[in-house]
Amino acid sequence: MTQKSILVVEDNLETRELLTYNLKNAGYAVREAGDAVKALELAARARPDLVLLDVMLPGGMDGLEVCRRLKQDERTRGVPVIMLTALGDEVDRIVGLELGAEDYVPKPFSPRELLLRIKAVLRRSGSAAEESSAGFSEGGLNIDFEAHSVTIDGADIGLTSTEHKILRELVRAKGRVLQRDRLLDTVWDTDFDGTSRTVDTHMRRLRGKLGAYADWIETVRGVGYRFKPLAQAKE
């Protein structure tokens, strides 16, 4: 099995060394960056399998801005990001998810919990990359993007074209939270004069058709939606 690589972006030397020590002991290859500029350079050049990114960084560019740039750069857009945030700092967590981060871990953190979060994100990222181009299948739910078909236990649930597009965007986001505005731009025409309530209405109808799988579309309060199958929700 190919060794997974992780880029640790943390300005505090003691914390960075602790993270590196635990990650290497867990079998990961580790690269380190103590500031935003080096982090962006290493991410683009080394293409890590995951970036562990502290929100508080020196030099005028914080971790949230680094996350934004990583998700905008074609070279690093698909690299999952886990944000390290201050305990109880809900604003940083929400903004990080809005920018495309896959998960966040509050400080101080348990090394064991962090390793479990990393493992879960890498697993989701890997399985989603394989499935997202053609579709998704788990339990009784089967999504075939090419055939524009969504079935539950073999029965087609009759999604509209818009509902199918919404579900496709959620699945292809690989567990990332999608903002309502982004869904408006990608699912509807850019000139469409809709609001966030338009997205909420279609999401409610989509969940209704998904029946027992409705909870797999998770609402992230104040941010948007993400697709999180039951197996992932238990991680």
Side-chain angles (χ1 to χ4, degrees):
M1 182 181 294
T2 304
Q3 186 180 35
K4 296 290 186 181
S5 62
I6 295 178
L7 172 59
V8 175
V9 186
E10 167 64 65
D11 65 305
N12 183 281
L13 179 60
E14 183 178 349
T15 303
R16 191 167 72 243
E17 288 180 343
L18 176 63
L19 287 167
T20 298
Y21 173 80
N22 282 286
L23 290 170
K24 286 185 175 180
N25 277 351
Y28 296 106
V30 182
R31 291 177 180 268
E32 301 177 28
D35 59 68
V37 174
K38 186 176 181 181
L40 291 170
E41 177 190 343
L42 277 176
R45 177 161 48 87
R47 305 285 184 88
D49 293 295
L50 183 141
V51 175
L52 196 58
L53 177 60
D54 186 28
V55 170
M56 301 298 293
L57 293 175
M61 189 190 308
D62 64 12
L64 296 173
E65 177 62 18
V66 172
C67 182
R68 185 186 69 80
R69 296 193 185 194
L70 288 173
K71 295 303 182 180
Q72 287 183 340
D73 191 326
E74 291 185 359
R75 297 169 296 177
T76 56
R77 183 176 299 161
V79 178
V81 175
I82 296 179
M83 306 291 298
L84 299 176
T85 68
L87 182 63
D89 198 336
E90 184 179 9
V91 173
D92 282 346
R93 294 200 299 270
I94 290 176
V95 174
L97 292 171
E98 286 179 337
L99 292 172
E102 277 68 21
D103 202 353
Y104 63 86
V105 177
K107 292 181 176 180
F109 52 82
S110 157
R112 184 173 182 274
E113 179 188 358
L114 178 61
L115 290 172
L116 287 173
R117 295 283 192 99
I118 289 171
K119 184 177 180 180
V121 169
L122 286 172
R123 183 163 59 247
R124 290 200 300 266
S125 177
S127 61
E130 294 173 359
E131 294 172 342
S132 62
S133 60
F136 173 88
S137 182
E138 186 171 319
L141 177 64
N142 185 73
I143 304 169
D144 188 329
F145 292 137
E146 294 182 357
H148 289 266
S149 169
V150 179
T151 61
I152 294 178
D153 297 329
D156 193 284
I157 62 174
L159 295 188
T160 66
S161 175
T162 298
E163 290 163 352
H164 189 275
K165 288 178 182 177
I166 291 172
L167 188 57
R168 180 192 63 199
E169 292 301 316
L170 289 169
V171 172
R172 287 181 172 173
K174 305 177 184 179
R176 296 193 307 275
V177 179
L178 294 184
Q179 294 174 268
R180 291 171 175 84
D181 288 346
R182 177 175 172 181
L183 284 168
L184 279 172
D185 289 341
T186 55
V187 173
W188 287 268
D189 294 334
T190 54
D191 294 331
F192 177 72
D193 189 23
T195 67
S196 61
R197 296 187 67 178
T198 302
V199 177
D200 294 339
T201 298
H202 282 81
M203 202 68 70
R204 185 165 56 250
R205 292 172 181 166
L206 173 58
R207 280 171 163 159
K209 293 181 180 181
L210 287 173
Y213 299 94
D215 289 343
W216 288 14
I217 297 179
E218 179 185 9
T219 301
V220 179
R221 185 167 57 89
V223 184
Y225 299 93
R226 67 177 164 189
F227 186 69
K228 194 169 185 180
L230 183 60
Q232 296 178 9
K234 290 181 177 179
E235 292 167 349

